[in-house]
Amino acid sequence: MQKLIKIAPLAIAVASTLTFSTTAQAERVILQVDNLNKGIITAITRQAGGEVKVDADGFIAVEVPGKSFEELKGIFNNPHIQLVEKDELRKPMALFNDTAGNPMQTQVTPYAVFQSQANQVSFNPATAPKVCIIDSGLDRSNIDFDWGSITGDNDSGTGSWDVNGGPHGTHVAGTIGAANNGVGVVGMAPGVKMHIIKVFNAEGWGYSSDLAYAAQKCSAAGAKIISMSLGGGGSNTTESNAFQNFVNAGGLVVAAAGNDGNNVRSYPAGYPSVMMVGANDNNNAIASFSQFPSCTANGKTDENICVEITAGGVDTLSTYPAGMATTAALSTNLGPFASSAMENVGNANAATFFMGTAESTNAAAAGKVCLIDRGVISFHDKVKNCQLSGGVGAVIINNVAGMLYATLGEGTANTTSIPAVGAAFEDRAQLLASTSATITIGGSDYGLMSGTSMATPAVSGIAALVWSNHPTCSGAQIRSALKATAKDSGAAGKDVYFGYGIAQAKAANDYLLQNGCGGGGTTAITLTATAQMQGKTRYANLSWANATTSNVDIYRNGVKIVTTANDGSHRDSPTVKGTYRYKVCNAASTTACSVEKSVTFTK
C-alpha cells in the first residue's frame, strides 16, 4: 500500500515589503540634572508644552512637540542642567537582513545568504553538482533562472515540470539557484544546474512511491543532490531504499524536518540516508514551527534520524511564478511606513479612520482607509468589516513588536476586495496620528514564505556551493563537513532543535581545504567550546566527538597545548581575559582536526 506524502504545512506570507523608510519622530532630548533640581526642569518642560518621558538617576528625557533640537537647547539653557543632548532613536535590529530594494527592479540578497556565509564562497558552475528538486514544478515565467541549465521530467499525473503547481516549487528553486543577474534575488548557488521533478498533483499531494521513482529519475538525470521540501507520516521501505541507493552512489539527499513545531518524525527526512533540516530565523533563533524529533528510536540512537543542521527559513524572500506574489507600499501625511501586503491588488488614497479591533462595522469608516489593531477576530473579518462599512483600504497594525505578515485566506476563503496591508507595532503611534494614507499593492514575481521547506533548499544550495569547490568529495563527505562546521546555536553542543547548528558555507569550504574529503565519508571531528568563570578562574570547557585515535592533540590559538586521552572532554584554564580559538586533532595529525571554535572571557 502506498503511503500518502503531503507537503509540510507552510506559514506563508505571500507578500513582502522590500523597501523600508524611517518615519518622522518627535524630537527628544536628554537633560543631565541633579536629582534635587528635577522639579524645576520638569516645570520648565510643562510650561513649554512638553512631557517628561524618562526620570532616572541623574538625568531625565523630555519631549516637546514641534520643537527642533536647537530650539530645545535654548529652552533648557538653565544653570541647573549640566548637558543637553539628543535622545537618539533606537530600533530593534536583526543579526541578518535582506539587502534593500525592490527585486522587480534590482537584485536583492536574502538574509540567509549572509547568515550561511554563502556570499563568502566562490561558486564554480563547471564543477558544481546538479541539484534535483522534487516538488510542485518550476514556473518558466520567472526570468531569474539560467534556463539553459535547467531540465525536468514531465508526468502524466502532474503535468509539465515547467508549469507551476502553485508557488512552492518555484520559491524553493530560487533559494537554491536563482541567477546572479542583477535582478530579483540570488540563490545560494547562483545558476546551478537543476533538474525538476513535479510530484504533486492539482490537489497538492503525492505518494511515497512517487518519491522513490523520482529518486531514480534524479540519478538518471545525473544529479548528485536531491532536495525535498516535503514530508508526511510513516516510513516506507521502498522509499527508504531508493534514497539509500542514491547516497550509496555518492549522492546527498536533503529534506525538511516539518513545520508542526513538535517532536514527530517526518519522512523522508527521518530516514538515516537523508539529511534532516530544521529552520532558524534571521536572529539565529530556532523557528517556532521547526520540528525536533528525538535521535533515538526503537532503543537505538542515530544522529541521522533527527535534525542535523538548520538554515534560514523564516520570512525567506525568493522567486514566485510571475505576478503570483504581491508587494506593498504604505505612506501617510507623516511619511512612508514599512508594510506587508495581505491581499487584493489595488490602490487606496483617503483620509484615515481608526476602527479599533474592527469587530463590527462602523459607518464613520465610509470612504476612508481603516486603521485597525490586531486581535480578537480574524484578519479577514477585520478587513471585511472595513469594506462593509464603506472603507476603501485597510491597515492592520501588529500587537507585538515587528511587522505583521498575514493573509486573508486562500482562494475563495477571501471574500474581501479592498487592498489591505500589515504594519509594525513600533509604528502604531505615528499611524494613528496620521490623517490620510495611501496604500498600493501590486503584483510581484518575488515573495516571502516561511517553513523548513525554505531552510531545506538553503542547505541544498549551500551543499552545491561547497561541493563545486571540492568535486572529488562524496555526498557523505559534504554532509559531514557541513555538520562539522555548523555554527553552534541554542543549547551548547548538538541538540534536537538545531542539530549541529546553522549551516556555514565558508567554514565548510575551509574545512575541506584543510582536511581534504577524507576516506569513505567518515564523520569529521566535531567540537564544542564554552566559557565558564568559577570565582576568578577562567575555564574553557571542550567536548568533542568522532576522533579516531586513542589520544588527541588540543590546540589553542594555533599552538598545541596538550596531548590527552580521547575521552571526549577537556578543561583548559587561560590566565588572562580575551578570545581563545581551540581545535581538536587526532594525535600526531595536523589535518584530521575539528574546525576551530572560539570562547571569550570578558573579565
Side-chain angles (χ1 to χ4, degrees):
M1 178 179 177
Q2 290 178 316
K3 293 287 187 181
L4 179 66
I5 300 292
K6 291 188 176 181
I7 290 180
L10 292 172
I12 300 176
V14 298
S16 58
T17 297
L18 305 170
T19 56
F20 297 86
S21 301
T22 301
T23 59
Q25 301 287 331
E27 193 76 79
R28 275 175 44 158
V29 291
I30 299 174
L31 310 175
Q32 291 188 11
V33 56
D34 290 337
N35 292 339
L36 293 176
N37 295 319
K38 283 182 179 178
I40 298 171
I41 307 308
T42 298
I44 294 173
T45 301
R46 290 173 178 166
Q47 288 173 1
E51 181 182 1
V52 174
K53 294 294 187 179
V54 177
D55 185 347
D57 184 18
F59 70 89
I60 60 176
V62 305
E63 180 178 288
V64 182
K67 300 296 183 182
S68 68
F69 176 60
E70 292 302 320
E71 289 174 315
L72 291 175
K73 285 201 299 183
I75 291 171
F76 293 108
N77 183 11
N78 185 286
H80 296 298
I81 297 174
Q82 290 87 49
L83 178 68
V84 180
E85 58 183 348
K86 284 188 177 182
D87 198 354
E88 299 290 353
L89 188 66
R90 298 290 181 260
K91 293 187 176 182
M93 291 190 298
L95 292 174
F96 302 95
N97 291 294
D98 300 346
T99 55
N102 182 343
M104 297 293 285
Q105 301 170 353
T106 187
Q107 184 165 282
V108 175
T109 303
Y111 75 84
V113 171
F114 303 113
Q115 186 179 54
S116 67
Q117 305 177 331
N119 62 312
Q120 300 178 43
V121 179
S122 297
F123 176 61
N124 296 316
T127 54
K130 182 181 290 185
V131 181
C132 190
I133 302 172
I134 303 174
D135 209 288
S136 62
L138 170 57
D139 199 289
R140 193 175 285 273
S141 65
N142 193 296
I143 64 171
D144 206 6
F145 293 97
D146 181 359
W147 285 100
S149 300
I150 302 174
T151 55
D153 279 312
N154 291 326
D155 184 280
S156 60
T158 60
S160 299
W161 64 267
D162 57 352
V163 176
N164 78 84
H168 191 266
T170 302
H171 196 278
V172 163
T175 297
I176 293 173
N180 186 8
N181 57 4
V183 71
V185 295
V186 61
M188 295 291 183
V192 68
K193 297 183 291 292
M194 294 188 286
H195 189 75
I196 311 300
I197 300 179
K198 187 177 180 180
V199 296
F200 299 118
N201 59 24
E203 286 72 38
W205 49 265
Y207 292 95
S208 54
S209 60
D210 295 325
L211 300 190
Y213 186 32
Q216 296 175 1
K217 293 179 181 179
C218 292
S219 294
K224 297 183 73 174
I225 298 174
I226 291 177
S227 185
M228 295 180 290
S229 294
L230 49 84
S235 61
N236 180 289
T237 301
T238 301
E239 184 182 46
S240 177
N241 289 343
F243 295 122
Q244 186 64 61
N245 291 339
F246 188 87
V247 170
N248 291 345
L252 172 65
V253 185
V254 184
N259 298 333
D260 287 337
N262 57 31
N263 62 358
V264 173
R265 198 179 327 279
S266 179
Y267 294 91
Y271 299 127
S273 61
V274 180
M275 189 175 198
M276 184 186 294
V277 176
N280 56 259
D281 66 14
N282 62 344
N283 277 314
N284 293 348
I286 199 68
S288 60
F289 51 76
S290 190
Q291 284 175 225
F292 48 94
S294 168
C295 300
T296 301
N298 301 319
K300 296 182 179 180
T301 299
D302 184 350
E303 70 166 24
N304 295 322
I305 63 171
C306 48
V307 173
E308 297 180 46
I309 204 164
T310 69
V314 178
D315 294 334
T316 298
L317 179 66
S318 189
T319 47
Y320 261 65
M324 192 174 284
T326 50
T327 55
L330 169 65
S331 62
T332 77
N333 60 296
L334 298 181
F337 291 83
S339 62
S340 71
M342 288 184 168
E343 231 83 46
N344 306 332
V345 171
N347 302 287
N349 181 11
T352 57
F353 176 74
F354 180 52
M355 283 189 73
T357 52
E359 297 168 56
S360 60
T361 59
N362 189 326
K368 297 178 181 177
V369 172
C370 305
L371 303 177
I372 303 171
D373 279 333
R374 180 181 183 177
V376 185
I377 62 174
S378 71
F379 302 129
H380 172 273
D381 290 347
K382 290 174 183 291
V383 176
K384 188 69 171 180
N385 284 336
C386 171
Q387 183 174 330
L388 292 174
S389 301
V392 296
V395 180
I396 301 181
I397 306 168
N398 211 350
N399 57 5
V400 294
M403 177 59 60
L404 174 61
Y405 296 104
T407 64
L408 302 179
E410 297 293 328
T412 58
N414 175 27
T415 64
T416 70
S417 59
I418 60 174
V421 299
F425 175 74
E426 291 81 354
D427 292 329
R428 182 178 185 274
Q430 287 285 292
L431 286 170
L432 296 188
S434 302
T435 58
S436 64
T438 300
I439 300 172
T440 301
I441 299 181
S444 177
D445 303 348
Y446 304 88
L448 299 174
M449 286 189 183
S450 294
T452 55
S453 283
M454 284 61 254
T456 296
V459 171
S460 299
I462 292 164
L465 172 64
V466 173
W467 211 341
S468 77
N469 291 281
H470 306 276
T472 61
C473 290
S474 69
Q477 291 161 345
I478 297 295
R479 182 178 181 178
S480 292
L482 290 174
K483 292 192 291 186
T485 58
K487 178 181 177 63
D488 188 27
S489 297
K494 185 177 183 294
D495 62 75
V496 294
Y497 298 98
F498 285 94
Y500 282 99
I502 300 171
Q504 304 284 275
K506 184 180 185 300
N509 185 60
D510 291 349
Y511 176 86
L512 291 169
L513 286 172
Q514 178 182 356
N515 300 315
C517 295
T522 54
T523 303
I525 299 173
T526 57
L527 172 65
T528 299
T530 58
Q532 180 185 11
M533 292 291 297
Q534 289 187 347
K536 295 184 178 180
T537 305
R538 305 170 188 86
Y539 290 108
N541 297 313
L542 311 179
S543 59
W544 66 87
N546 305 323
T548 58
T549 52
S550 58
N551 292 322
V552 295
D553 295 332
I554 296 178
Y555 289 77
R556 182 209 300 147
N557 295 341
V559 178
K560 185 170 73 173
I561 58 172
V562 69
T563 298
T564 186
N566 181 16
D567 57 7
S569 64
H570 179 75
R571 173 179 270 193
D572 184 43
S573 182
T575 56
V576 296
K577 68 180 181 179
T579 297
Y580 297 87
R581 308 185 316 276
Y582 291 91
K583 69 177 179 179
V584 174
C585 303
N586 282 336
S589 174
T590 58
T591 58
C593 302
S594 70
V595 169
E596 285 189 330
K597 300 289 186 178
S598 297
V599 297
T600 299
F601 298 93
T602 58
K603 59 182 180 179

